[in-house]
Amino acid sequence: VAPREGLQLRLEVDERAKRVVAVTLDYQGSLLQVQAFSAPKTTGLWHRVRGEIAAQLSSQGAQVEETVGALGSELVAITPVPEEQGGGTRKVRFVAVDGPRWMLRGVIMGAAVDDAEARDGIVELFRDIVVVRGDQPMPPSELLPLQVPAGVAQNPAQGTPVA
């Protein structure tokens, strides 16, 4: 993740497996949660995963629309928020890019979901992420191991400045 002024990084950790499963970037009033997955050599994953996400969210009562944005096809979902979390709805945007034997997926929350100028900043942040796939064989759709950069605080619950 390229450092920039005002960027906060939070690691999402699966406590049972003791591994980092996602990185959430807090930047200029928006959140971008990213995950990298293994993909087949011959085709990308995003075309299939997009349909799976849409079906799953729809089955949970969300309104889902496929649109085209700066990164290509994306999903915009309006999901119901449970009453114990305040009720109402939450709007999110799913984006992804397919690379050589990997897919990088992002979930955009906050201002960048609706504000085009804020979204431009988040898309630029997303485009600057470097995925190092490695040579080890992995089945398609498996979460790629995320490495904590040297010097990053090891308390995953706190936001860590990266700039």
Side-chain angles (χ1 to χ4, degrees):
V1 176
R4 45 177 48 98
E5 185 73 33
L7 177 63
Q8 295 284 313
L9 178 142
R10 185 175 66 240
L11 305 175
E12 309 295 335
V13 178
D14 177 346
E15 292 298 331
R16 288 177 292 192
K18 300 289 187 209
R19 71 177 198 158
V20 178
V21 294
V23 176
T24 300
L25 306 170
D26 185 341
Y27 186 61
Q28 298 182 339
S30 299
L31 296 174
L32 172 63
Q33 184 183 68
V34 294
Q35 293 179 296
F37 298 89
S38 61
K41 290 180 181 180
T42 56
T43 62
L45 283 179
W46 183 226
H47 64 282
R48 187 190 85 219
V49 170
R50 212 170 42 248
E52 292 170 358
I53 292 170
Q56 180 182 12
L57 291 173
S58 294
S59 74
Q60 297 169 354
Q63 298 173 12
V64 182
E65 176 186 5
E66 186 167 331
T67 64
V68 176
L71 297 167
S73 295
E74 56 188 43
L75 295 175
V76 177
I78 301 173
T79 60
V81 176
E83 288 300 322
E84 60 271 11
Q85 295 178 16
T89 60
R90 177 180 304 131
K91 192 172 184 181
V92 297
R93 190 175 291 269
F94 291 84
V95 297
V97 292
D98 286 306
R101 298 179 47 223
W102 56 262
M103 177 189 75
L104 181 66
R105 184 182 74 198
V107 181
I108 299 171
M109 298 162 273
V113 172
D114 289 316
D115 181 298
E117 187 175 327
R119 189 164 44 257
D120 288 346
I122 291 296
V123 166
E124 180 183 330
L125 182 64
F126 187 82
R127 284 183 169 154
D128 285 347
I129 294 172
V130 175
V131 176
V132 179
R133 162 66 171 83
D135 294 330
Q136 70 278 16
M138 296 176 77
S141 300
E142 187 164 318
L143 193 61
L144 294 177
L146 297 172
Q147 302 297 319
V148 179
V152 171
Q154 295 298 303
N155 182 352
Q158 296 182 348
T160 303
V162 293

